[in-house]
């Protein structure tokens, strides 16, 4: 497997690289919904276009990592399926939707994974888990009332991709998430328990954001990920990774 990128997800994917020698994974580019820079979006688009064209020439399968968050699906009352019409509500979401179209039209064999909020070791400070932990350790944490996040273990992302590629799944868009969006307060409280800290909370009221995504396709294709929606999944993820920060 050729892995383009050097972030924490790219590092975990390296553990299965030798199993998929004809696959290229794009694990680089804009990773934050806060980005507003046209230059950063252009750089990622150029990278995706060039990589997709090369994969088409060489007959390599291209895996593109997109998003299953609110930025792509918006607020959903029922779990959003991969074939539903998407409603990106931000520059980031529209950018990822555009890149998906680039990949699908490239002529290369392709697989698009729409990821929720991936949690794992070595994440950048702006990402969800390290950012909340930093705030809690500072003694004050900001809690966005009305916000929800679907967290998934990076190990489950790797397991899902390995399973999909091992059975030759291509030309598919697949949600890779736990399927359960948790309130921000629940996530913060869980982290506090694992840190044994009780910081002051600063509450910020925001418009309710609840994005439920369906993982039925993922479960049907990779039964090994059946435990993603277990009641204790969030706690198990926090127990594994909070101590690393």
């Amino acid at each position: 497997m050729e892995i383009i990128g050097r972030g924490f997800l790219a590092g975990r994917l390296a553990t299965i690289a030798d199993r998929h020698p004809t696959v290229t994974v794009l694990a680089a580019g804009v990773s934050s919904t806060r980005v507003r820079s046209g230059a950063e979006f252009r750089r990622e688009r150029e990278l995706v276009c060039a990589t997709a064209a090369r994969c088409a020439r060489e007959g390599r399968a291209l895996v593109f990592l997109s998003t299953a968050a609110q930025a792509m699906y918006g607020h959903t009352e029922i779990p959003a399926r991969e074939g539903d019409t998407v409603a990106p509500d931000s520059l980031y979401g529209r950018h990822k939707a555009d890149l998906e179209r680039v990949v699908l039209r490239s002529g290369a064999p392709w697989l698009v994974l729409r990821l929720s909020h991936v949690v794992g070791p070595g994440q950048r400070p702006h990402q969800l888990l390290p950012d909340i932990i930093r705030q809690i350790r500072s003694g004050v944490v900001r809690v966005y009332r009305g916000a929800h996040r679907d967290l998934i273990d990076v190990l489950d992302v790797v397991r899902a991709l390995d399973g999909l590629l091992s059975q030759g799944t291509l030309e598919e868009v697949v949600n890779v998430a736990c399927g359960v969006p948790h309130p921000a307060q629940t996530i913060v409280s869980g982290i506090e328990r694992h840190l044994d800290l009780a910081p002051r909370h600063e509450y910020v009221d925001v418009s309710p954001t609840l994005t439920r995504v369906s993982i039925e396709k993922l479960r049907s294709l990779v039964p090994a990920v059946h435990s993603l929606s277990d009641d204790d999944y969030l706690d198990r993820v926090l127990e594994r990774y909070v101590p690393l920060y």
Side-chain angles (χ1 to χ4, degrees), residues 37-155:
S37 168
E40 289 193 46
F41 289 137
R42 285 193 297 273
R43 278 195 296 271
E44 184 177 14
R45 197 178 198 281
E46 290 169 0
L47 174 64
V48 172
C49 288
T51 304
R54 176 170 61 83
C55 286
R57 291 194 304 270
E58 299 175 0
R60 297 183 63 82
L62 175 61
V63 177
F64 177 64
L65 305 181
S66 186
T67 180
Q70 179 197 1
M72 178 65 73
Y73 285 120
H75 185 88
T76 59
E77 295 295 336
I78 59 175
R81 298 176 182 271
E82 294 85 349
D84 294 346
T85 300
V86 297
D89 66 353
S90 67
L91 285 173
Y92 177 82
R94 290 190 289 273
H95 169 69
K96 291 299 184 182
D98 173 59
L99 295 185
E100 288 186 9
R101 290 189 289 270
V102 169
V103 171
L104 269 60
R105 297 169 182 170
S106 67
W110 57 269
L111 176 65
V112 171
L113 302 188
R114 288 181 178 164
L115 308 179
S116 62
H117 294 268
V118 185
V119 176
Q123 290 188 284
R124 295 177 180 177
H126 73 268
Q127 293 179 302
L128 185 69
L129 186 60
D131 181 48
I132 293 176
I133 291 174
R134 176 190 56 78
Q135 291 184 59
I136 290 173
R137 289 192 181 281
S138 76
V140 181
V141 59
R142 183 169 293 176
V143 181
Y144 292 88
R145 284 191 288 217
H148 295 73
R149 294 292 182 267
D150 178 319
L151 272 56
I152 186 169
D153 190 331
V154 67
L155 297 179

Side-chain angles (χ1 to χ4, degrees), residues 141-231:
V141 59
R142 183 169 293 176
V143 181
Y144 292 88
R145 284 191 288 217
H148 295 73
R149 294 292 182 267
D150 178 319
L151 272 56
I152 186 169
D153 190 331
V154 67
L155 297 179
D156 288 318
V157 174
V158 174
R159 186 177 297 114
L161 179 57
D162 189 35
L164 291 167
L165 293 176
S166 294
Q167 60 192 19
T169 301
L170 292 172
E171 319 297 315
E172 294 280 2
V173 177
V174 183
N175 291 332
V176 180
C178 83
V180 180
H182 294 279
Q185 180 67 73
T186 299
I187 297 171
V188 169
S189 296
I191 296 171
E192 290 173 349
R193 285 196 302 273
H194 287 285
L195 291 173
D196 194 23
L197 293 174
R200 177 167 59 86
H201 290 183
E202 287 185 350
Y203 290 99
V204 179
D205 291 317
V206 297
S207 298
T209 55
L210 178 61
T211 304
R212 300 184 188 277
V213 297
S214 170
I215 58 172
E216 288 184 13
K217 179 188 280 192
L218 176 63
R219 281 177 161 158
S220 67
L221 293 169
V222 189
V225 301
H226 69 277
S227 66
L228 290 175
S229 299
D230 287 354
D231 290 342

Side-chain angles (χ1 to χ4, degrees), residues 13-31:
L13 290 173
T15 61
I16 60 169
D18 60 344
R19 293 168 52 82
H20 309 287
T22 63
V23 174
T24 295
V25 179
L26 266 168
V30 178
S31 62

